[in-house]
Amino acid sequence: MTTGCGQSSSTEASNKENSSSEAAEAGTEAAAPVLTVWSDWGISDYFKDQGDAYYWKAIEEATGVDLQFIDSSGGKDALSILVGTDDLPDIIIEYDGTLPGGVQKMLADGSIVPLNDLMDAGKLPNFKAYLDSDPEADKLCKNDDGLYAWAPMIRKPDSPLVFNGNMIRQDWLDELGLQMPETIQEMEDTLLIFKEKKGCDAGFSFAYKNYDRIVNAYGICEGMYIGKDNKVHFGAIESEYLDFLTLFNRWMEMGILDPDGFTQEIDAFYAKIASGRTGLVWGNTGGELGKIETMKSENPEMDFQPAPNPVLNKGDVFPVDQSNYRVNSIGYMISSTCADMDAAARVIDYVYGEEGNMRANFGEEGVTYEMKDGKPVFTDLVLNNPEGLSIQKALSLYAGNNNKPFLVEKDMMLGNYALEVQKKSLEVWATPDAPVKKMPPLTMTAEEAQEYNSLMTDIQTYLDEFKLKFIMGTESLENYPHFVENIQKMNIDRAIEIQQAAYERYLAR
C-alpha cells in the first residue's frame, strides 16, 4: 500500500501492519508500492521500456516495489521543466551536471529530501553501514552541512581511478625504430617523424577538447585545481600556461597538431584514425581504446598502445593526479513529493547490500557470470555476446554498470575491459604519486554558486576564445600578459576565493 510522505515513520509502519493484517484476513496480498522513476537511459535501442531491463526486474522482485519508469528521452531540458513542480518522479537517478543547478541546489530548493532521516531511522542500513566503514567515501557523499543529498555511485578503495590518456601507433614506432616517447620533446620529435615518414597530417588528434595531459605536463590544470601548496589555483593565468600555449602554437605551425581537434565530432576523429591520418590520440579505456581495437578488422596492422603521461624532463614524476574521485557524479535521489519514502529507501539501499552488490556489478549468476575459485567470472553472453553487443552493453541489461549508482567492484571493472591493451592502460595512465590534484566535489552556498557561475561564464567564454587564437596564431603570444590582465579584471580572484572557501569547508567535513 502506498503511503504519503507527510506521515511519520511510526504512522507509516502502523498503516503497513494494518494493511497486511487486513489483507491476510481477506485472503489476499497487499499491492506492491508503486514508484515513478526518472533515470538516464543508455539501452533504449534494446527495450521499449526501461523498466523491462532484467536489472530493474530483479530489483523490483527483491524489494517488492513496482517501478514505473517515465520517459527521460528529453534529457536535461525535460528534467528542468519537472524540477520545482509537484510532478517530480518519486526517485531520480541522474548525473549531477545534468540537474538544473546540480544536486545540492535541488536539495536547497526542497525538490529532493536529504537521506539523513531515513538513514537514522534504519531505512538505509546497507548504505549507512558502507559509509561508516569508508570515511573517505562518506566525506565525498555529504555536503558541508553533513546532509546526504543522494546515494551515489561509489568506487571501492582498490578500484582503478584513471581511465583515459594518450595512445600511440606502436606499429609505427616499431617500423621506424623509435622508442616510446616519455617527454614532451620526445613526443614532438616522434610526431615530426610520423608526419615525414607516414604522411600523417593530424599528428596529435583528439575530440571533445581532450588534450589535458599536455597542459598537465607543466604542473597545472587549465581551470581550477588544487596546487602543491594545497590552495586553489586557476591555471590559465599562470606562467606555465603560456608554456603550454607556446608548445601548441609551435605544433600547429609544424603541422603536427590536428587543427580540427578543438571542434570535431567523434565520427570525424575515428575517421582520421582509420585512415592513418593521426598517430597520437587521446582516449578512454572503455570508449576510444575499445573502439579503435574494433577497427583492426579493416586495419589489422594498426596497433594503438597507451602512452605514458608526458613529462618535461626524463625521469620526472607526472605532476598532476589524473585520478577520478571515488564518488561518481551519478546518484539516487528521493523527491520531496515521493509517494512512499520507505519503499524508495528499499530500492536505493538494495544495491549497497551484499546481494544487490553482486547483482549491480555482475548481473545474474548462471547467466552473465559464474563463480570460479570464489570469484565471479563473466560468461560468453557478456564477453562474446551472440548478438554482437559490447561487453558493457551486454552486461548493462542485467547489471548496474550503465548510468546506475552502486558500489563498484574492482573485479567488475577489470572484467569489463576484456582486451589486454585496456587492462594495460589502467596501469600506464595511473598517477598515484602526483602532487597536484583536480578539484574535489565541493558545496557552495546558493549565494556563492550564483556569484561564481556569473563570474566564470564570462571568464570561460573569454578563455576559450583567446586560447584558440593563441594556438592558431591569430593572436600573438606576446599579448598573453594582456590576456591575463583581462581575466583578472573579470574578477578571477573572487572566483578563486569562493572556491577556496568551499575547499576549506570540504577539508573540515
Side-chain angles (χ1 to χ4, degrees), residues 70-89:
I70 65 176
D71 181 13
S72 61
S73 59
K76 180 178 179 179
D77 292 338
L79 189 57
S80 297
I81 295 173
L82 292 175
V83 172
T85 72
D86 292 333
D87 295 325
L88 270 177

Side-chain angles (χ1 to χ4, degrees), residues 265-280:
E265 299 294 331
I266 193 68
D267 289 342
F269 172 66
Y270 284 139
K272 288 176 181 174
I273 293 172
S275 60
R277 292 180 58 195
T278 182
L280 178 69

Side-chain angles (χ1 to χ4, degrees), residues 414-426:
L414 296 180
N416 259 273
Y417 302 135
L419 304 170
E420 287 305 313
V421 68
Q422 291 177 309
K423 293 182 174 68
K424 179 181 177 181
S425 73
L426 299 176

